[in-house]
Amino acid sequence: MRAMRYGLMLLLLACCSRSLFAQSFTYQGFLKENGVPANGTFDFRFRLWTSVSGGTQVETDLFVNNLRVQNGLFTTELNFGSVWDGSDRYLEIGVRPGSSTGDYQGLSPRVRIARAPYAARADAAPPVGLAGGDLSGNYPNPTVAKIQGRAVASTAPSAGQVLKWNGSAWSPAADLRDQFWQASGSNILYNAGNVGIGTSNPLSSLHVETATGDTAIFGIATATSGLTYGMYGAGAYGMYGKSDRAYGKGVYGEATAVTSLSTYGVHGKSAGYNGYGVYGEATAASGATYGVYGKSDSSTGTGVYGTATATSGNTIGGHFVSQSTAGIGVHGAANATSGITYGGWFGNLSTEGAGVYGYAFATSGTTAGVQIDHPLSPENAYLNHYSAEGPEPYNIYRGTVVLDVKGEAWGRLPDYFEAINRDPSYHLTPIGAPMPNLHVAVEVQGNRFKIAGGVPGKKVSWEVKATRNDRWVQEYGYQTEQPKPAEYRGKYLNPELYGQPKELGIHYRPEPEREVTPPAPEKR
């Protein structure tokens, strides 16, 4: 026997005879097998009882064999004979697979059948007698005395009035919409003044205010395609947001679509010559504040992305300045303890550009190749070591060898030396004794060279300098004396060294004037 359970049952009763005491009716039900709508043929047994449980069976069993069930639905006609005497009746259903001889599985609960099948009663006569519920009087002409159990006033309404609850009864009253709002097609509008929500003194056309932890205005565009706006503003203040809470947000934007297309939590745009697409300002004089803070949780996302789309001119994708004596113009940090991460990553596709350009006004600035805490006074001082410079791209290798009994030794270079270098030069320094005949006996071959003419058992330190000859240099070369491009001619890296004003600096950028915090919108 397959396990079955009864699902939703819908009663559809239709008169199939003309007698109130012996009438058939159509029954439609919904059958589930193992939790899903059943399909196939089934045998049904129908019993009629006097109560929902227990009670007395009325008449004998009715059997319908091999009844077709499709997508859980089945329909059959039942006739228990002269059983409709005004008493309640409850239908019990048993079921088994079609064309089987096993036991019927009873489905519960029993289903109440009205005192008379609806269609049969409607076919015979309209309801008569005393009305009940929210109705009063007698059929066929009862009156509405209540709505949801609450009294309805007997006052007749006037034109344009609606039914309103006055605290004790439903009573006709004026429709306030007619006094304040106007209709224009499918739109409604209000031109009589400002509208306040959460305030009795609105300062603008629509003033929404909340003194709780709620959101004053919440805008959301749920369409998954098209150009949508959760909120759109225009004018002197396209949108003005303010929050006085410790962790509040004046304006909060979020784009939740999971898509490969470009989405924007906040999109700012300015057409002014000195405008700002997005301007962020943190005015607190202390604390870890952010004028603009960007964050991305995507494994390939970007917290803040800046781009300058002009194809000419001295443009900047991102410009960062700190005026503090202990400030940082740009700070990059990669905090992950594994993976290929970058505290800062810079790229350049131009053969005349620079991946990273650093500039310092003082000798203690970023011209230092390495800056560490001073080992003799780490809490009070830095130790700066500077990068070697020259007109060629050099690679430098060094080491120390001990001379053998012949006063000779091989200086060993990295396995890749000959792959990326050319034109090596050598420098040998004897240690422990004079070695007037010390020399390079064999130049670099197989990534090593031979030292000879020394004192056996003594040390020699060596240094090899070679010109870079890797594939990058072979492809792009190098340039010692480089003419300035047309847009930089007449400008200087250090205009002050030549008595020129700072405005002639190649990397000069006028600082944006500090914005005055806009006042709150005034009442008009």
Side-chain angles (χ1 to χ4, degrees):
M1 177 67 183
R2 291 178 292 177
M4 302 177 188
R5 66 181 180 88
Y6 178 70
L8 175 66
M9 178 171 289
L10 176 64
L11 287 179
L12 298 178
L13 303 178
C15 177
C16 295
S17 70
R18 291 293 181 255
S19 169
L20 284 176
F21 300 100
Q23 53 187 301
S24 62
F25 60 94
T26 300
Y27 176 79
Q28 185 180 69
F30 187 88
L31 181 67
K32 284 187 177 181
E33 184 177 20
N34 295 326
V36 297
N39 283 283
T41 57
F42 295 82
D43 295 342
F44 287 82
R45 181 194 65 200
F46 296 93
R47 291 175 175 172
L48 206 59
W49 295 82
T50 58
S51 63
V52 69
S53 62
T56 303
Q57 183 175 350
V58 180
E59 292 294 332
T60 59
D61 295 349
L62 293 182
F63 296 92
V64 180
N65 295 325
N66 295 323
L67 181 61
R68 179 68 178 173
V69 178
Q70 187 171 5
N71 295 325
L73 293 175
F74 64 92
T75 304
T76 186
E77 184 173 296
L78 302 176
N79 190 342
F80 287 95
S82 302
V83 297
W84 310 106
D85 59 359
S87 301
D88 287 341
R89 297 288 185 258
Y90 294 85
L91 185 65
E92 178 187 283
I93 303 173
V95 65
R96 69 183 183 188
S99 300
S100 65
T101 58
D103 293 333
Y104 288 86
Q105 180 177 341
L107 306 181
S108 62
R110 296 172 182 172
V111 180
R112 180 180 179 273
I113 306 297
R115 294 186 177 183
Y118 301 143
R121 173 65 63 90
D123 178 67
V128 295
L130 183 65
D134 286 343
L135 302 178
S136 66
N138 296 303
Y139 289 106
N141 297 308
T143 60
V144 178
K146 299 177 183 178
I147 298 177
Q148 294 292 320
R150 296 175 180 262
V152 175
S154 60
T155 307
S158 302
Q161 289 186 320
V162 295
L163 202 60
K164 292 185 177 181
W165 178 252
N166 62 15
S168 59
W170 294 98
S171 179
D175 185 357
L176 293 181
R177 190 198 70 173
D178 295 337
Q179 297 182 22
F180 299 102
W181 296 92
Q182 303 174 41
S184 176
S186 59
N187 302 320
I188 60 171
L189 58 133
Y190 178 73
N191 291 321
N194 295 335
V195 176
I197 300 177
T199 177
S200 60
N201 185 31
L203 302 179
S204 58
S205 297
L206 176 61
H207 180 155
V208 182
E209 185 173 321
T210 177
T212 66
D214 300 329
T215 301
I217 295 180
F218 180 81
I220 182 171
T222 59
T224 57
S225 62
L227 185 61
T228 63
Y229 302 91
M231 199 173 295
Y232 180 87
Y237 296 96
M239 193 174 298
Y240 178 87
K242 180 181 179 183
S243 173
D244 294 323
R245 291 188 60 188
Y247 295 97
K249 301 173 180 66
V251 174
Y252 175 83
E254 182 179 13
T256 60
V258 181
T259 173
S260 60
L261 302 178
S262 297
T263 63
Y264 306 92
V266 174
H267 180 101
K269 182 178 180 181
S270 172
Y273 294 110
N274 293 304
Y276 305 95
V278 174
Y279 179 85
E281 181 178 8
T283 59
S286 63
T289 64
Y290 304 91
V292 174
Y293 177 86
K295 178 184 178 183
S296 172
D297 293 326
S298 169
S299 59
T300 57
T302 302
V304 174
Y305 177 84
T307 179
T309 59
T311 56
S312 62
N314 192 12
T315 64
I316 296 179
H319 180 72
F320 305 89
V321 175
S322 172
Q323 304 291 353
S324 171
T325 56
I328 299 174
V330 175
H331 175 83
N335 294 326
T337 56
S338 63
I340 302 175
T341 64
Y342 303 89
W345 192 92
F346 305 88
N348 172 60
L349 299 179
S350 171
T351 57
E352 298 180 355
V356 176
Y357 180 85
Y359 177 73
F361 288 99
T363 57
S364 61
T366 56
T367 54
V370 175
Q371 184 180 72
I372 62 174
D373 292 321
H374 199 293
L376 302 182
S377 182
E379 70 277 13
N380 297 318
Y382 296 115
L383 177 65
N384 295 329
H385 275 189
Y386 297 90
S387 302
E389 297 180 359
E392 297 178 283
Y394 289 118
N395 288 324
I396 301 175
Y397 306 86
R398 65 184 184 84
T400 301
V401 295
V402 178
L403 301 178
D404 60 17
V405 294
K406 296 181 180 181
E408 299 175 349
W410 287 94
R412 300 190 179 278
L413 297 163
D415 293 342
Y416 54 79
F417 177 86
E418 290 180 276
I420 66 168
N421 293 285
R422 63 177 175 83
D423 302 332
S425 62
Y426 308 87
H427 181 79
L428 304 177
T429 302
I431 300 173
M435 302 180 196
N437 296 321
L438 191 67
H439 64 282
V440 174
V442 179
E443 291 197 69
V444 174
Q445 294 179 6
N447 298 309
R448 67 178 186 165
F449 65 98
K450 187 174 183 179
I451 300 171
V455 177
K458 296 297 182 180
K459 293 182 178 180
V460 174
S461 69
W462 58 265
E463 182 180 85
V464 175
K465 295 179 181 177
T467 303
R468 279 182 57 188
N469 193 37
D470 53 74
R471 293 192 179 188
W472 176 271
V473 174
Q474 292 175 11
E475 177 70 22
Y476 299 107
Y478 64 90
Q479 198 171 15
T480 302
E481 295 181 284
Q482 177 182 357
K484 293 177 181 178
E487 59 267 30
Y488 286 169
R489 290 175 188 171
K491 296 183 178 182
Y492 305 82
L493 291 173
N494 305 95
E496 72 282 357
L497 301 181
Y498 299 92
Q500 300 297 327
K502 63 181 181 180
E503 287 77 10
L504 291 181
I506 288 175
H507 300 291
Y508 170 75
R509 283 293 181 280
E511 295 304 320
E513 295 182 3
R514 187 175 180 84
E515 286 285 323
V516 177
T517 302
E522 298 179 355
K523 184 176 181 180
R524 298 184 296 175

